[in-house]
Amino acid sequence: MSAAVAERNIATLHRFHTAVNSGDPDTIAKAFDEYLAPDLVFHAPVAVGTTGPEALKRVWEVLLGAFPDLRVVVEETIAEGDKVVSRNTVTGTHRGDYQGLAPTGRTVTYGEIFILRFVDGRIAEIRGVVDVLSQLRQLGAVPS
């Protein structure tokens, strides 16, 4: 794979994050249709009861319901071949129910790292590690 393909994949990832950071459900839905392969393999860090793009859509519905101002900042990307690794910082204010927790009004900041595999310019597979423990500590759900 060429350096041009790796750069194209990084640019696609950044456009995807710009769309999901909009907070607009229509923009996000269009981004999912445009940037995710229909047969996406999503290794979800949380159980959502479905697979493929629908699983990622459900994760975002839950997150935006709980943290309507959720923002993902891409801190670093590394691309090689058909894969892009993205280290992100996520922030949001807890304004809706989340994992059984009533809204606290607290702002959370936590890290995540995702490995994305691209096929024909679309995200075909996602594997991730999300610092949910830090998130839950900030919400007061687990002791510090």
Side-chain angles (χ1 to χ4, degrees), residues 35-135:
Y35 300 120
L36 302 178
D39 58 349
L40 171 77
V41 178
F42 178 49
H43 306 277
V46 294
V48 291
T50 190
T51 59
E54 192 59 35
L56 191 57
K57 287 177 185 179
R58 289 220 183 132
V59 167
W60 273 96
E61 286 170 6
V62 167
L63 288 172
L64 289 173
F67 306 95
D69 61 347
L70 189 77
R71 293 290 173 268
V72 178
V73 175
V74 177
E75 303 288 353
E76 184 175 16
T77 54
I78 301 168
E80 183 177 312
D82 62 352
K83 293 188 177 135
V84 174
V85 177
S86 178
R87 182 179 63 80
N88 310 318
T89 299
V90 181
T91 58
T93 308
H94 185 211
R95 301 206 185 279
D97 290 337
Y98 181 69
Q99 296 198 10
L101 295 172
T104 63
R106 294 179 182 174
T107 299
V108 297
T109 302
Y110 58 94
E112 60 184 19
I113 298 175
F114 282 92
I115 302 170
L116 302 100
R117 184 174 57 82
F118 286 76
V119 173
D120 297 328
R122 295 174 87 182
I123 301 167
E125 184 174 12
I126 301 173
R127 292 182 182 275
V129 177
V130 177
D131 188 359
V132 176
L133 180 59
S134 176
Q135 177 195 64

Side-chain angles (χ1 to χ4, degrees), residues 2-63:
S2 70
V5 170
E7 289 302 315
R8 180 190 69 190
N9 292 342
I10 289 173
T12 297
L13 174 64
H14 285 282
R15 285 192 305 275
F16 179 75
H17 276 138
T18 297
V20 297
N21 281 336
S22 73
D24 176 59
D26 291 335
T27 300
I28 294 168
K30 287 178 188 172
F32 279 45
D33 292 339
E34 182 177 350
Y35 300 120
L36 302 178
D39 58 349
L40 171 77
V41 178
F42 178 49
H43 306 277
V46 294
V48 291
T50 190
T51 59
E54 192 59 35
L56 191 57
K57 287 177 185 179
R58 289 220 183 132
V59 167
W60 273 96
E61 286 170 6
V62 167
L63 288 172

